[in-house]
Amino acid sequence: AAGVIQSPRHLIKEKRETATLKCYPIPRHDTVYWYQQGPGQDPQFLISFYEKMQSDKGSIPDRFSAQQFSDYHSELNMSSLELGDSALYFCASSASGGASYEQYFGPGTRLTVT
Amino acid sequence: AQTVTQSQPEMSVQEAETVTLSCTYDTSESDYYLFWYKQPPSRQMILVIRQEAYKQQNATENRFSVNFQKAAKSFSLKISDSQLGDAAMYFCAYRSLYSGAGSYQLTFGKGTKLSVIP
C-alpha cells in the first residue's frame, strides 16, 4: 500500500539559510499535518491543512510557512534557520478531513542546521 | 488544552515477559481518541493501538492491549510475550473526537523508552 512520502529525507543547512520540506500524502487523503520532533523530544504539532486550506496552527514559528497544493501535497518552508530548528519533521496524512481517526506518518525529514 | 503524561522515561523487560507502560491525560472533553505509537530506532512513527473513549471495551491488537480507565484518565499499554523487535520509544497520544476548526492534531506524551533484554 502507498505510504506518505517525504523529501528530502536528510537536509543540512547553515544558519540563516532557507529550507523547503515536501510531503506527498497517501492517495485520496485530503488532510496533512506537520509535526516537529527535537532531539529526545515528543513530536509537536506545527500546522495542518484540509482541502488546501489551513485548518489549524500549533507552535509554528513565524519564520515558517506552509501550504497545501491542488494535488494535496504540502510544503513546509523554513527561513532564517536557527540551530534550534534542527529536528525531525514529520508529515502525516488522513482522509475525510481528519475525521477518520488514523493519521499515517511519513518517515520524516531530518534537518540539521549548522 | 489537553495534556498527556508518561511518568516512566525508561523501562526494561525480559524477552517473552509482559510489561505495562503507563499514560495519564487531562482533558475536559467527554469524547476523544487515545493512541499508542511506537518509534523504533529508524524514527518511523508506527501506530500500535487506538482506543475510542466512548467504547468501554479495552482495545486489543495481537500481543498489545490497553487498560483504559476513563474516570481515572488513565491509558496503559500492556505488551505480552515481549520480543526484541518491541524495543523502541513508545508515545501515548490524545486526539479530540470533534473539532470545530476541522483539525485533529495529536498531543503526545514525552515517551517511554522500552528495552528488551534477551
Side-chain angles (χ1 to χ4, degrees), chain A residues 6 35 37 41-44 88 90-92 102-108, chain B residues 36-40 42-48 89-93 106 108-109:
Chain A
Q6 290 188 246
Y35 294 87
Q37 185 179 27
Q41 301 296 315
D42 56 295
Q44 295 289 320
L88 187 60
F90 285 109
C91 170
E102 190 157 336
Q103 293 182 24
Y104 294 83
F105 281 78
Chain B
W36 279 98
Y37 279 88
K38 170 185 178 180
Q39 188 175 44
S42 67
R43 306 296 300 277
Q44 174 77 49
M45 293 292 285
I46 302 167
L47 178 64
V48 174
M89 182 72 82
Y90 286 80
F91 290 98
C92 178
L106 294 169
F108 290 89

PDB file of all heavy atoms in Angstrom, chain A residues 6 35 37 41-44 88 90-92 102-108, chain B residues 36-40 42-48 89-93 106 108-109:
ATOM      1  N   GLN A   6       8.002  11.688   2.070  1.00  0.00           N
ATOM      2  CA  GLN A   6       8.598  12.962   2.444  1.00  0.00           C
ATOM      3  C   GLN A   6       9.943  13.107   1.746  1.00  0.00           C
ATOM      4  O   GLN A   6      10.710  12.145   1.642  1.00  0.00           O
ATOM      5  CB  GLN A   6       8.786  13.065   3.958  1.00  0.00           C
ATOM      6  CG  GLN A   6       7.479  13.187   4.730  1.00  0.00           C
ATOM      7  CD  GLN A   6       7.699  13.469   6.196  1.00  0.00           C
ATOM      8  OE1 GLN A   6       7.374  12.638   7.051  1.00  0.00           O
ATOM      9  NE2 GLN A   6       8.227  14.654   6.504  1.00  0.00           N
ATOM     10  N   TYR A  35       4.524  17.897  11.994  1.00  0.00           N
ATOM     11  CA  TYR A  35       4.996  17.819  13.379  1.00  0.00           C
ATOM     12  C   TYR A  35       6.509  18.000  13.388  1.00  0.00           C
ATOM     13  O   TYR A  35       7.218  17.585  12.461  1.00  0.00           O
ATOM     14  CB  TYR A  35       4.670  16.453  13.995  1.00  0.00           C
ATOM     15  CG  TYR A  35       3.190  16.168  14.183  1.00  0.00           C
ATOM     16  CD1 TYR A  35       2.432  15.607  13.156  1.00  0.00           C
ATOM     17  CD2 TYR A  35       2.553  16.442  15.390  1.00  0.00           C
ATOM     18  CE1 TYR A  35       1.084  15.335  13.332  1.00  0.00           C
ATOM     19  CE2 TYR A  35       1.206  16.177  15.572  1.00  0.00           C
ATOM     20  CZ  TYR A  35       0.482  15.619  14.536  1.00  0.00           C
ATOM     21  OH  TYR A  35      -0.851  15.357  14.707  1.00  0.00           O
ATOM     22  N   GLN A  37       9.880  17.131  15.752  1.00  0.00           N
ATOM     23  CA  GLN A  37      10.377  16.360  16.889  1.00  0.00           C
ATOM     24  C   GLN A  37      11.853  16.687  17.117  1.00  0.00           C
ATOM     25  O   GLN A  37      12.718  16.261  16.349  1.00  0.00           O
ATOM     26  CB  GLN A  37      10.198  14.858  16.679  1.00  0.00           C
ATOM     27  CG  GLN A  37      10.586  14.036  17.901  1.00  0.00           C
ATOM     28  CD  GLN A  37      10.385  12.547  17.702  1.00  0.00           C
ATOM     29  OE1 GLN A  37      10.434  12.042  16.586  1.00  0.00           O
ATOM     30  NE2 GLN A  37      10.148  11.825  18.799  1.00  0.00           N
ATOM     31  N   GLN A  41      12.835  14.541  22.180  1.00  0.00           N
ATOM     32  CA  GLN A  41      11.544  15.168  22.498  1.00  0.00           C
ATOM     33  C   GLN A  41      10.387  14.402  21.872  1.00  0.00           C
ATOM     34  O   GLN A  41      10.582  13.511  21.040  1.00  0.00           O
ATOM     35  CB  GLN A  41      11.534  16.604  21.986  1.00  0.00           C
ATOM     36  CG  GLN A  41      12.635  17.478  22.565  1.00  0.00           C
ATOM     37  CD  GLN A  41      12.478  17.660  24.054  1.00  0.00           C
ATOM     38  OE1 GLN A  41      11.389  17.914  24.566  1.00  0.00           O
ATOM     39  NE2 GLN A  41      13.576  17.522  24.783  1.00  0.00           N
ATOM     40  N   ASP A  42       9.195  14.757  22.296  1.00  0.00           N
ATOM     41  CA  ASP A  42       7.996  14.209  21.649  1.00  0.00           C
ATOM     42  C   ASP A  42       7.645  15.091  20.461  1.00  0.00           C
ATOM     43  O   ASP A  42       8.023  16.264  20.408  1.00  0.00           O
ATOM     44  CB  ASP A  42       6.835  14.155  22.648  1.00  0.00           C
ATOM     45  CG  ASP A  42       6.537  15.509  23.262  1.00  0.00           C
ATOM     46  OD1 ASP A  42       7.420  16.036  23.988  1.00  0.00           O
ATOM     47  OD2 ASP A  42       5.449  16.057  23.016  1.00  0.00           O
ATOM     48  N   PRO A  43       6.915  14.558  19.512  1.00  0.00           N
ATOM     49  CA  PRO A  43       6.504  15.370  18.351  1.00  0.00           C
ATOM     50  C   PRO A  43       5.570  16.500  18.776  1.00  0.00           C
ATOM     51  O   PRO A  43       4.654  16.292  19.581  1.00  0.00           O
ATOM     52  CB  PRO A  43       5.781  14.359  17.454  1.00  0.00           C
ATOM     53  CG  PRO A  43       6.296  13.030  17.879  1.00  0.00           C
ATOM     54  CD  PRO A  43       6.530  13.154  19.359  1.00  0.00           C
ATOM     55  N   GLN A  44       5.803  17.654  18.210  1.00  0.00           N
ATOM     56  CA  GLN A  44       4.970  18.827  18.476  1.00  0.00           C
ATOM     57  C   GLN A  44       4.262  19.235  17.189  1.00  0.00           C
ATOM     58  O   GLN A  44       4.883  19.372  16.141  1.00  0.00           O
ATOM     59  CB  GLN A  44       5.835  19.986  18.977  1.00  0.00           C
ATOM     60  CG  GLN A  44       6.497  19.733  20.327  1.00  0.00           C
ATOM     61  CD  GLN A  44       5.501  19.747  21.473  1.00  0.00           C
ATOM     62  OE1 GLN A  44       4.590  20.571  21.512  1.00  0.00           O
ATOM     63  NE2 GLN A  44       5.671  18.815  22.411  1.00  0.00           N
ATOM     64  N   LEU A  88      13.614  16.428  13.595  1.00  0.00           N
ATOM     65  CA  LEU A  88      12.973  15.530  12.643  1.00  0.00           C
ATOM     66  C   LEU A  88      11.590  16.096  12.370  1.00  0.00           C
ATOM     67  O   LEU A  88      10.824  16.361  13.302  1.00  0.00           O
ATOM     68  CB  LEU A  88      12.886  14.133  13.240  1.00  0.00           C
ATOM     69  CG  LEU A  88      12.392  12.991  12.363  1.00  0.00           C
ATOM     70  CD1 LEU A  88      13.294  12.805  11.151  1.00  0.00           C
ATOM     71  CD2 LEU A  88      12.343  11.699  13.177  1.00  0.00           C
ATOM     72  N   PHE A  90       8.017  15.531  10.738  1.00  0.00           N
ATOM     73  CA  PHE A  90       7.101  14.524  10.240  1.00  0.00           C
ATOM     74  C   PHE A  90       5.935  15.180   9.517  1.00  0.00           C
ATOM     75  O   PHE A  90       5.418  16.214   9.928  1.00  0.00           O
ATOM     76  CB  PHE A  90       6.508  13.699  11.387  1.00  0.00           C
ATOM     77  CG  PHE A  90       7.446  12.699  11.976  1.00  0.00           C
ATOM     78  CD1 PHE A  90       7.965  12.896  13.245  1.00  0.00           C
ATOM     79  CD2 PHE A  90       7.783  11.546  11.282  1.00  0.00           C
ATOM     80  CE1 PHE A  90       8.820  11.971  13.802  1.00  0.00           C
ATOM     81  CE2 PHE A  90       8.629  10.614  11.844  1.00  0.00           C
ATOM     82  CZ  PHE A  90       9.159  10.831  13.103  1.00  0.00           C
ATOM     83  N   CYS A  91       5.516  14.525   8.478  1.00  0.00           N
ATOM     84  CA  CYS A  91       4.251  14.831   7.843  1.00  0.00           C
ATOM     85  C   CYS A  91       3.344  13.615   8.064  1.00  0.00           C
ATOM     86  O   CYS A  91       3.811  12.469   8.020  1.00  0.00           O
ATOM     87  CB  CYS A  91       4.479  15.069   6.354  1.00  0.00           C
ATOM     88  SG  CYS A  91       2.985  15.180   5.375  1.00  0.00           S
ATOM     89  N   ALA A  92       2.086  13.871   8.327  1.00  0.00           N
ATOM     90  CA  ALA A  92       1.111  12.799   8.452  1.00  0.00           C
ATOM     91  C   ALA A  92      -0.094  13.150   7.599  1.00  0.00           C
ATOM     92  O   ALA A  92      -0.389  14.338   7.378  1.00  0.00           O
ATOM     93  CB  ALA A  92       0.694  12.600   9.907  1.00  0.00           C
ATOM     94  N   GLU A 102      -7.305   7.832  12.084  1.00  0.00           N
ATOM     95  CA  GLU A 102      -5.916   7.457  11.967  1.00  0.00           C
ATOM     96  C   GLU A 102      -5.118   8.429  11.115  1.00  0.00           C
ATOM     97  O   GLU A 102      -5.513   8.788  10.023  1.00  0.00           O
ATOM     98  CB  GLU A 102      -5.801   6.061  11.367  1.00  0.00           C
ATOM     99  CG  GLU A 102      -4.395   5.491  11.434  1.00  0.00           C
ATOM    100  CD  GLU A 102      -4.397   3.984  11.360  1.00  0.00           C
ATOM    101  OE1 GLU A 102      -5.422   3.372  11.700  1.00  0.00           O
ATOM    102  OE2 GLU A 102      -3.373   3.421  10.957  1.00  0.00           O
ATOM    103  N   GLN A 103      -4.008   8.875  11.651  1.00  0.00           N
ATOM    104  CA  GLN A 103      -3.039   9.652  10.901  1.00  0.00           C
ATOM    105  C   GLN A 103      -1.887   8.733  10.538  1.00  0.00           C
ATOM    106  O   GLN A 103      -1.315   8.057  11.391  1.00  0.00           O
ATOM    107  CB  GLN A 103      -2.523  10.824  11.740  1.00  0.00           C
ATOM    108  CG  GLN A 103      -3.582  11.882  12.025  1.00  0.00           C
ATOM    109  CD  GLN A 103      -3.035  13.058  12.813  1.00  0.00           C
ATOM    110  OE1 GLN A 103      -1.844  13.336  12.802  1.00  0.00           O
ATOM    111  NE2 GLN A 103      -3.928  13.744  13.498  1.00  0.00           N
ATOM    112  N   TYR A 104      -1.532   8.752   9.274  1.00  0.00           N
ATOM    113  CA  TYR A 104      -0.438   7.931   8.785  1.00  0.00           C
ATOM    114  C   TYR A 104       0.797   8.818   8.640  1.00  0.00           C
ATOM    115  O   TYR A 104       0.757   9.812   7.920  1.00  0.00           O
ATOM    116  CB  TYR A 104      -0.800   7.303   7.441  1.00  0.00           C
ATOM    117  CG  TYR A 104      -1.928   6.304   7.521  1.00  0.00           C
ATOM    118  CD1 TYR A 104      -3.258   6.728   7.513  1.00  0.00           C
ATOM    119  CD2 TYR A 104      -1.674   4.948   7.617  1.00  0.00           C
ATOM    120  CE1 TYR A 104      -4.303   5.823   7.602  1.00  0.00           C
ATOM    121  CE2 TYR A 104      -2.716   4.026   7.693  1.00  0.00           C
ATOM    122  CZ  TYR A 104      -4.023   4.477   7.691  1.00  0.00           C
ATOM    123  OH  TYR A 104      -5.052   3.571   7.785  1.00  0.00           O
ATOM    124  N   PHE A 105       1.854   8.419   9.305  1.00  0.00           N
ATOM    125  CA  PHE A 105       3.063   9.225   9.318  1.00  0.00           C
ATOM    126  C   PHE A 105       4.024   8.833   8.214  1.00  0.00           C
ATOM    127  O   PHE A 105       4.173   7.653   7.879  1.00  0.00           O
ATOM    128  CB  PHE A 105       3.777   9.081  10.667  1.00  0.00           C
ATOM    129  CG  PHE A 105       3.169   9.904  11.763  1.00  0.00           C
ATOM    130  CD1 PHE A 105       2.009   9.494  12.394  1.00  0.00           C
ATOM    131  CD2 PHE A 105       3.744  11.101  12.153  1.00  0.00           C
ATOM    132  CE1 PHE A 105       1.432  10.257  13.407  1.00  0.00           C
ATOM    133  CE2 PHE A 105       3.184  11.867  13.159  1.00  0.00           C
ATOM    134  CZ  PHE A 105       2.032  11.443  13.784  1.00  0.00           C
ATOM    135  N   GLY A 106       4.691   9.847   7.662  1.00  0.00           N
ATOM    136  CA  GLY A 106       5.787   9.609   6.753  1.00  0.00           C
ATOM    137  C   GLY A 106       7.046   9.280   7.531  1.00  0.00           C
ATOM    138  O   GLY A 106       7.045   9.305   8.763  1.00  0.00           O
ATOM    139  N   PRO A 107       8.138   8.996   6.842  1.00  0.00           N
ATOM    140  CA  PRO A 107       9.381   8.607   7.503  1.00  0.00           C
ATOM    141  C   PRO A 107      10.119   9.772   8.136  1.00  0.00           C
ATOM    142  O   PRO A 107      11.046   9.569   8.907  1.00  0.00           O
ATOM    143  CB  PRO A 107      10.203   7.999   6.371  1.00  0.00           C
ATOM    144  CG  PRO A 107       9.705   8.689   5.145  1.00  0.00           C
ATOM    145  CD  PRO A 107       8.234   8.925   5.373  1.00  0.00           C
ATOM    146  N   GLY A 108       9.693  10.993   7.803  1.00  0.00           N
ATOM    147  CA  GLY A 108      10.327  12.166   8.394  1.00  0.00           C
ATOM    148  C   GLY A 108      11.467  12.719   7.552  1.00  0.00           C
ATOM    149  O   GLY A 108      12.085  12.003   6.753  1.00  0.00           O
TER     150      GLY A 108
ATOM    151  N   TRP B  36      -1.451   4.664  21.130  1.00  0.00           N
ATOM    152  CA  TRP B  36      -0.052   4.366  21.446  1.00  0.00           C
ATOM    153  C   TRP B  36       0.690   4.248  20.124  1.00  0.00           C
ATOM    154  O   TRP B  36       0.272   3.492  19.241  1.00  0.00           O
ATOM    155  CB  TRP B  36       0.089   3.067  22.233  1.00  0.00           C
ATOM    156  CG  TRP B  36      -0.181   3.225  23.688  1.00  0.00           C
ATOM    157  CD1 TRP B  36      -1.342   2.955  24.351  1.00  0.00           C
ATOM    158  CD2 TRP B  36       0.738   3.698  24.687  1.00  0.00           C
ATOM    159  NE1 TRP B  36      -1.206   3.231  25.690  1.00  0.00           N
ATOM    160  CE2 TRP B  36       0.065   3.682  25.916  1.00  0.00           C
ATOM    161  CE3 TRP B  36       2.075   4.116  24.650  1.00  0.00           C
ATOM    162  CZ2 TRP B  36       0.667   4.075  27.115  1.00  0.00           C
ATOM    163  CZ3 TRP B  36       2.672   4.503  25.831  1.00  0.00           C
ATOM    164  CH2 TRP B  36       1.971   4.485  27.051  1.00  0.00           C
ATOM    165  N   TYR B  37       1.783   5.022  20.027  1.00  0.00           N
ATOM    166  CA  TYR B  37       2.652   4.958  18.861  1.00  0.00           C
ATOM    167  C   TYR B  37       3.998   4.405  19.290  1.00  0.00           C
ATOM    168  O   TYR B  37       4.495   4.686  20.374  1.00  0.00           O
ATOM    169  CB  TYR B  37       2.861   6.351  18.246  1.00  0.00           C
ATOM    170  CG  TYR B  37       1.747   6.820  17.351  1.00  0.00           C
ATOM    171  CD1 TYR B  37       0.648   7.500  17.870  1.00  0.00           C
ATOM    172  CD2 TYR B  37       1.793   6.595  15.977  1.00  0.00           C
ATOM    173  CE1 TYR B  37      -0.371   7.941  17.045  1.00  0.00           C
ATOM    174  CE2 TYR B  37       0.768   7.039  15.142  1.00  0.00           C
ATOM    175  CZ  TYR B  37      -0.300   7.703  15.680  1.00  0.00           C
ATOM    176  OH  TYR B  37      -1.315   8.134  14.861  1.00  0.00           O
ATOM    177  N   LYS B  38       4.592   3.661  18.386  1.00  0.00           N
ATOM    178  CA  LYS B  38       5.923   3.093  18.593  1.00  0.00           C
ATOM    179  C   LYS B  38       6.892   3.804  17.664  1.00  0.00           C
ATOM    180  O   LYS B  38       6.592   4.006  16.491  1.00  0.00           O
ATOM    181  CB  LYS B  38       5.881   1.597  18.269  1.00  0.00           C
ATOM    182  CG  LYS B  38       7.230   0.891  18.194  1.00  0.00           C
ATOM    183  CD  LYS B  38       7.027  -0.549  17.754  1.00  0.00           C
ATOM    184  CE  LYS B  38       8.351  -1.277  17.606  1.00  0.00           C
ATOM    185  NZ  LYS B  38       8.148  -2.695  17.161  1.00  0.00           N
ATOM    186  N   GLN B  39       8.043   4.186  18.204  1.00  0.00           N
ATOM    187  CA  GLN B  39       9.072   4.801  17.377  1.00  0.00           C
ATOM    188  C   GLN B  39      10.383   4.039  17.568  1.00  0.00           C
ATOM    189  O   GLN B  39      11.109   4.260  18.521  1.00  0.00           O
ATOM    190  CB  GLN B  39       9.257   6.288  17.725  1.00  0.00           C
ATOM    191  CG  GLN B  39      10.181   7.011  16.764  1.00  0.00           C
ATOM    192  CD  GLN B  39      10.274   8.497  17.028  1.00  0.00           C
ATOM    193  OE1 GLN B  39      10.401   8.938  18.163  1.00  0.00           O
ATOM    194  NE2 GLN B  39      10.220   9.302  15.968  1.00  0.00           N
ATOM    195  N   PRO B  40      10.679   3.122  16.665  1.00  0.00           N
ATOM    196  CA  PRO B  40      11.928   2.361  16.743  1.00  0.00           C
ATOM    197  C   PRO B  40      13.111   3.237  16.373  1.00  0.00           C
ATOM    198  O   PRO B  40      12.928   4.415  16.043  1.00  0.00           O
ATOM    199  CB  PRO B  40      11.705   1.231  15.731  1.00  0.00           C
ATOM    200  CG  PRO B  40      10.723   1.779  14.756  1.00  0.00           C
ATOM    201  CD  PRO B  40       9.854   2.735  15.525  1.00  0.00           C
ATOM    202  N   SER B  42      14.664   3.575  13.797  1.00  0.00           N
ATOM    203  CA  SER B  42      14.513   4.175  12.470  1.00  0.00           C
ATOM    204  C   SER B  42      13.767   5.508  12.538  1.00  0.00           C
ATOM    205  O   SER B  42      13.763   6.271  11.563  1.00  0.00           O
ATOM    206  CB  SER B  42      13.747   3.224  11.546  1.00  0.00           C
ATOM    207  OG  SER B  42      12.399   3.088  11.985  1.00  0.00           O
ATOM    208  N   ARG B  43      13.129   5.801  13.671  1.00  0.00           N
ATOM    209  CA  ARG B  43      12.381   7.037  13.935  1.00  0.00           C
ATOM    210  C   ARG B  43      11.030   7.077  13.234  1.00  0.00           C
ATOM    211  O   ARG B  43      10.314   8.065  13.330  1.00  0.00           O
ATOM    212  CB  ARG B  43      13.193   8.285  13.577  1.00  0.00           C
ATOM    213  CG  ARG B  43      14.553   8.382  14.214  1.00  0.00           C
ATOM    214  CD  ARG B  43      14.515   8.502  15.721  1.00  0.00           C
ATOM    215  NE  ARG B  43      13.821   9.652  16.229  1.00  0.00           N
ATOM    216  CZ  ARG B  43      14.350  10.861  16.344  1.00  0.00           C
ATOM    217  NH1 ARG B  43      15.580  11.101  15.954  1.00  0.00           N
ATOM    218  NH2 ARG B  43      13.626  11.851  16.843  1.00  0.00           N
ATOM    219  N   GLN B  44      10.663   6.032  12.529  1.00  0.00           N
ATOM    220  CA  GLN B  44       9.327   5.977  11.929  1.00  0.00           C
ATOM    221  C   GLN B  44       8.285   5.901  13.035  1.00  0.00           C
ATOM    222  O   GLN B  44       8.453   5.173  14.004  1.00  0.00           O
ATOM    223  CB  GLN B  44       9.216   4.742  11.024  1.00  0.00           C
ATOM    224  CG  GLN B  44       7.840   4.501  10.450  1.00  0.00           C
ATOM    225  CD  GLN B  44       7.506   5.417   9.288  1.00  0.00           C
ATOM    226  OE1 GLN B  44       8.285   5.573   8.360  1.00  0.00           O
ATOM    227  NE2 GLN B  44       6.336   6.043   9.335  1.00  0.00           N
ATOM    228  N   MET B  45       7.196   6.643  12.913  1.00  0.00           N
ATOM    229  CA  MET B  45       6.098   6.607  13.878  1.00  0.00           C
ATOM    230  C   MET B  45       5.093   5.551  13.428  1.00  0.00           C
ATOM    231  O   MET B  45       4.500   5.670  12.355  1.00  0.00           O
ATOM    232  CB  MET B  45       5.418   7.974  13.975  1.00  0.00           C
ATOM    233  CG  MET B  45       6.284   9.056  14.565  1.00  0.00           C
ATOM    234  SD  MET B  45       6.623   8.791  16.310  1.00  0.00           S
ATOM    235  CE  MET B  45       5.064   9.258  17.023  1.00  0.00           C
ATOM    236  N   ILE B  46       4.907   4.547  14.260  1.00  0.00           N
ATOM    237  CA  ILE B  46       4.052   3.413  13.899  1.00  0.00           C
ATOM    238  C   ILE B  46       2.907   3.332  14.898  1.00  0.00           C
ATOM    239  O   ILE B  46       3.131   3.264  16.112  1.00  0.00           O
ATOM    240  CB  ILE B  46       4.860   2.100  13.925  1.00  0.00           C
ATOM    241  CG1 ILE B  46       6.045   2.205  12.964  1.00  0.00           C
ATOM    242  CG2 ILE B  46       3.969   0.909  13.572  1.00  0.00           C
ATOM    243  CD1 ILE B  46       7.069   1.108  13.155  1.00  0.00           C
ATOM    244  N   LEU B  47       1.696   3.327  14.386  1.00  0.00           N
ATOM    245  CA  LEU B  47       0.538   3.201  15.267  1.00  0.00           C
ATOM    246  C   LEU B  47       0.450   1.781  15.804  1.00  0.00           C
ATOM    247  O   LEU B  47       0.451   0.820  15.045  1.00  0.00           O
ATOM    248  CB  LEU B  47      -0.743   3.548  14.510  1.00  0.00           C
ATOM    249  CG  LEU B  47      -2.042   3.402  15.296  1.00  0.00           C
ATOM    250  CD1 LEU B  47      -2.074   4.380  16.464  1.00  0.00           C
ATOM    251  CD2 LEU B  47      -3.251   3.626  14.388  1.00  0.00           C
ATOM    252  N   VAL B  48       0.381   1.653  17.115  1.00  0.00           N
ATOM    253  CA  VAL B  48       0.305   0.342  17.756  1.00  0.00           C
ATOM    254  C   VAL B  48      -1.139  -0.030  18.047  1.00  0.00           C
ATOM    255  O   VAL B  48      -1.590  -1.137  17.724  1.00  0.00           O
ATOM    256  CB  VAL B  48       1.126   0.336  19.067  1.00  0.00           C
ATOM    257  CG1 VAL B  48       0.932  -0.988  19.806  1.00  0.00           C
ATOM    258  CG2 VAL B  48       2.594   0.611  18.790  1.00  0.00           C
ATOM    259  N   MET B  89      10.893   3.546  21.443  1.00  0.00           N
ATOM    260  CA  MET B  89      10.260   4.590  22.228  1.00  0.00           C
ATOM    261  C   MET B  89       8.764   4.464  21.981  1.00  0.00           C
ATOM    262  O   MET B  89       8.326   4.314  20.832  1.00  0.00           O
ATOM    263  CB  MET B  89      10.768   5.966  21.795  1.00  0.00           C
ATOM    264  CG  MET B  89      10.205   7.116  22.597  1.00  0.00           C
ATOM    265  SD  MET B  89      10.861   7.182  24.260  1.00  0.00           S
ATOM    266  CE  MET B  89      12.420   8.016  23.945  1.00  0.00           C
ATOM    267  N   TYR B  90       8.002   4.531  23.053  1.00  0.00           N
ATOM    268  CA  TYR B  90       6.549   4.444  22.936  1.00  0.00           C
ATOM    269  C   TYR B  90       5.920   5.760  23.390  1.00  0.00           C
ATOM    270  O   TYR B  90       6.190   6.241  24.491  1.00  0.00           O
ATOM    271  CB  TYR B  90       6.000   3.289  23.771  1.00  0.00           C
ATOM    272  CG  TYR B  90       6.288   1.939  23.155  1.00  0.00           C
ATOM    273  CD1 TYR B  90       7.536   1.335  23.307  1.00  0.00           C
ATOM    274  CD2 TYR B  90       5.325   1.287  22.376  1.00  0.00           C
ATOM    275  CE1 TYR B  90       7.809   0.116  22.717  1.00  0.00           C
ATOM    276  CE2 TYR B  90       5.598   0.068  21.786  1.00  0.00           C
ATOM    277  CZ  TYR B  90       6.843  -0.511  21.957  1.00  0.00           C
ATOM    278  OH  TYR B  90       7.115  -1.720  21.365  1.00  0.00           O
ATOM    279  N   PHE B  91       5.076   6.299  22.524  1.00  0.00           N
ATOM    280  CA  PHE B  91       4.402   7.550  22.827  1.00  0.00           C
ATOM    281  C   PHE B  91       2.905   7.307  22.979  1.00  0.00           C
ATOM    282  O   PHE B  91       2.282   6.649  22.138  1.00  0.00           O
ATOM    283  CB  PHE B  91       4.607   8.568  21.703  1.00  0.00           C
ATOM    284  CG  PHE B  91       6.004   9.106  21.599  1.00  0.00           C
ATOM    285  CD1 PHE B  91       6.897   8.590  20.678  1.00  0.00           C
ATOM    286  CD2 PHE B  91       6.433  10.135  22.427  1.00  0.00           C
ATOM    287  CE1 PHE B  91       8.187   9.088  20.568  1.00  0.00           C
ATOM    288  CE2 PHE B  91       7.719  10.638  22.332  1.00  0.00           C
ATOM    289  CZ  PHE B  91       8.601  10.103  21.403  1.00  0.00           C
ATOM    290  N   CYS B  92       2.355   7.885  24.020  1.00  0.00           N
ATOM    291  CA  CYS B  92       0.916   7.929  24.209  1.00  0.00           C
ATOM    292  C   CYS B  92       0.428   9.233  23.570  1.00  0.00           C
ATOM    293  O   CYS B  92       1.118  10.270  23.674  1.00  0.00           O
ATOM    294  CB  CYS B  92       0.627   7.900  25.712  1.00  0.00           C
ATOM    295  SG  CYS B  92      -1.109   7.999  26.176  1.00  0.00           S
ATOM    296  N   ALA B  93      -0.708   9.203  22.907  1.00  0.00           N
ATOM    297  CA  ALA B  93      -1.193  10.405  22.228  1.00  0.00           C
ATOM    298  C   ALA B  93      -2.704  10.548  22.383  1.00  0.00           C
ATOM    299  O   ALA B  93      -3.429   9.554  22.463  1.00  0.00           O
ATOM    300  CB  ALA B  93      -0.817  10.364  20.750  1.00  0.00           C
ATOM    301  N   LEU B 106      -2.630  15.606  17.005  1.00  0.00           N
ATOM    302  CA  LEU B 106      -2.277  14.704  18.091  1.00  0.00           C
ATOM    303  C   LEU B 106      -1.452  15.446  19.133  1.00  0.00           C
ATOM    304  O   LEU B 106      -0.564  16.226  18.792  1.00  0.00           O
ATOM    305  CB  LEU B 106      -1.471  13.525  17.564  1.00  0.00           C
ATOM    306  CG  LEU B 106      -2.211  12.566  16.619  1.00  0.00           C
ATOM    307  CD1 LEU B 106      -1.225  11.613  15.969  1.00  0.00           C
ATOM    308  CD2 LEU B 106      -3.276  11.805  17.378  1.00  0.00           C
ATOM    309  N   PHE B 108       1.067  14.526  22.155  1.00  0.00           N
ATOM    310  CA  PHE B 108       1.860  13.391  22.597  1.00  0.00           C
ATOM    311  C   PHE B 108       2.376  13.572  24.023  1.00  0.00           C
ATOM    312  O   PHE B 108       2.580  14.697  24.496  1.00  0.00           O
ATOM    313  CB  PHE B 108       3.081  13.210  21.682  1.00  0.00           C
ATOM    314  CG  PHE B 108       2.754  12.741  20.296  1.00  0.00           C
ATOM    315  CD1 PHE B 108       2.483  13.656  19.280  1.00  0.00           C
ATOM    316  CD2 PHE B 108       2.735  11.390  19.984  1.00  0.00           C
ATOM    317  CE1 PHE B 108       2.192  13.242  17.995  1.00  0.00           C
ATOM    318  CE2 PHE B 108       2.450  10.958  18.704  1.00  0.00           C
ATOM    319  CZ  PHE B 108       2.181  11.881  17.702  1.00  0.00           C
ATOM    320  N   GLY B 109       2.603  12.430  24.681  1.00  0.00           N
ATOM    321  CA  GLY B 109       3.363  12.440  25.922  1.00  0.00           C
ATOM    322  C   GLY B 109       4.846  12.471  25.594  1.00  0.00           C
ATOM    323  O   GLY B 109       5.238  12.463  24.430  1.00  0.00           O
TER     324      GLY B 109
END
